[in-house]
Amino acid sequence: MEDNEEEDLGVLDDQRSVILHLLSQLKLGMDLTRVVLPTFILEKRSLLEMYANFMAHPDLFLAIGTGTTPEERMVRFVEYYLTSFHEGRKGAVAKKPYNPVLGESFRCTWDVPRERVRPLRTNTSATTNSNSSCSTTTNTPGAGCTANATSGSGDGGRTGDQTADRLRLRFVAEQVSHHPPVSGFYCECKERRMCVNAHVWTKSKFMGMSIGVSMVGEGALHLLEHEEVYVFTLPSAYARSILTVPWVELGGKVSIACAKSGYSATVTFHTKPFYGGKVHRVTAEVKHNSTGTIVCKAQGEWNGTLEFTYSSGETKVIDTCKLPVIRKKIRPMDKQGPYESRRLWQHVTSALKSGNMEVATEHKHQLEERQRSEERQRAATNTPWKPKHFVKEGDGWVYHNPLWKAH
């Protein structure tokens, strides 16, 4: 069911002239929200599905809640956060996911073997169960911490909520607003009483030889067992070298904070300096706010090797490329609703796969035209749009039936 392969590296000559023509019409700093980009730079999946790939290591996500102290839980959140970006940006080439249409949704599940849910590092207390963690000698890749991944069959995984040997995570994303373009996403594991809710407004702007995309908004991880909420933000993304072989880098400072425990973290994604310097660098530090003590530092590449140093003096290296991925399960196309991402974009996707850009462009145009006509209809009848899965709360959007509201 999954297809994240990117066969075509680079831009063909006839495509370059189209991009050059497009670039000639743009001004520096211009907002690209309403600019129609050529079809051949599309990525064969919706932005909503790309958000699901933040959960490519659901075992690490579930391990956050098993930390025995607030410090452990914050450190595990940071470990998970730093390993969550590389899978969403798998291809070597920067391509643009489909802009979700208003009301579009994406749903999937993961079935996580229980024995996989273990921390990436050893708890330094004397009560540590040595079976539940990996060794912490330097240069131990993160892959050594976990059993082999089992691939999902793509059958939608609707057979019961949990099984004796597996934990289930459910994910739903929805495009809740078109102007501005806002997506909401929500993921929960009922059995572990943890869930994450986020809303993201993407703002693109033209920067000469690159395109910058800010991800405005925030997410909140709820650990109901511990009555803790971790509020986090997301980095900006940049598509570089858009005329040759475009590639993506992340940039900016993000924050993670848990008001109840008084722990916070700062993660900085460093963009490559103009001359020299490494690409994809990231640094992070976790601190206890009231004492100012730094309990963990991390440095490395978000899509490569990360080295963690803990206050105990131990260090550990995680190689994100070697972390096994648990595949998401998605219902077959004929069981999906008309506005679910893969079904909605299926004709564009198959035309892109076969290299037929004209047909892909035509199908994409039909979807956009339908969205415009529905918008005109709502304006004429003064009917506001009402999302199916999310409700507006303050500046954000919250899943309509989150775990923390369940009785």
Side-chain angles (χ1 to χ4, degrees), residues 2 4 52-63 83 86-88 90 108-118 146-154 165-169 320 322-330:
E2 290 236 40
N4 293 331
N53 289 336
F54 284 137
M55 301 299 300
H57 304 302
D59 47 340
L60 303 187
F61 174 74
L62 290 169
T83 57
H86 74 105
E87 192 59 28
K90 200 71 174 161
C108 64
T109 58
W110 294 265
D111 285 333
V112 185
R114 286 173 191 269
E115 79 276 1
R116 290 280 303 276
V117 180
R118 34 175 106 161
T146 46
N148 290 329
T150 51
S151 281
S153 60
D165 61 339
R166 288 173 184 268
L167 291 162
R168 169 155 300 171
L169 255 84
T320 59
K322 290 183 181 169
L323 285 172
V325 170
I326 294 178
R327 302 283 288 274
K328 57 185 178 286
K329 294 182 172 185
I330 300 162

Side-chain angles (χ1 to χ4, degrees), residues 65 89 93 114 119 123 138 152 163 237 250 258-259 268 272 305 308 332 344 353 394:
R89 289 260 49 110
V93 181
R114 286 173 191 269
N123 186 328
T138 320
T163 60
L250 301 178
C258 176
T268 307
K272 184 184 179 301
T305 304
F308 293 82
L344 185 75
K353 279 182 183 170

Side-chain angles (χ1 to χ4, degrees), residues 13 25 75 82 85 107 148 173 215 237 252 318 327 330 359 380 394:
D13 282 343
Q25 331 251 318
V75 166
L82 289 178
F85 290 94
R107 310 170 72 99
N148 290 329
M215 299 213 272
I318 298 168
R327 302 283 288 274
I330 300 162
V359 171

Side-chain angles (χ1 to χ4, degrees), residues 99-212:
N99 277 340
V101 304
L102 188 63
E104 179 183 334
S105 65
F106 179 81
R107 310 170 72 99
C108 64
T109 58
W110 294 265
D111 285 333
V112 185
R114 286 173 191 269
E115 79 276 1
R116 290 280 303 276
V117 180
R118 34 175 106 161
L120 280 176
R121 79 177 183 110
T122 304
N123 186 328
T124 48
S125 71
T127 55
T128 301
N129 173 353
S130 60
N131 294 327
S132 69
S133 53
C134 62
S135 85
T136 50
T137 51
T138 320
N139 300 325
T140 304
C145 309
T146 46
N148 290 329
T150 51
S151 281
S153 60
D155 60 1
R158 299 281 161 182
T159 53
D161 213 50
Q162 313 288 346
T163 60
D165 61 339
R166 288 173 184 268
L167 291 162
R168 169 155 300 171
L169 255 84
R170 297 182 177 280
F171 176 94
V172 59
E174 182 180 12
Q175 194 67 6
V176 293
S177 164
H178 185 52
H179 297 304
V182 182
S183 314
F185 64 87
Y186 174 82
C187 186
E188 70 174 23
C189 177
K190 276 189 178 156
E191 186 175 328
R192 288 292 168 93
R193 298 188 63 221
M194 61 188 292
C195 61
V196 66
N197 187 99
H199 64 275
V200 187
W201 169 13
T202 52
K203 294 169 88 168
S204 311
K205 76 174 178 193
F206 177 58
M207 302 161 62
M209 282 299 100
S210 57
I211 289 170

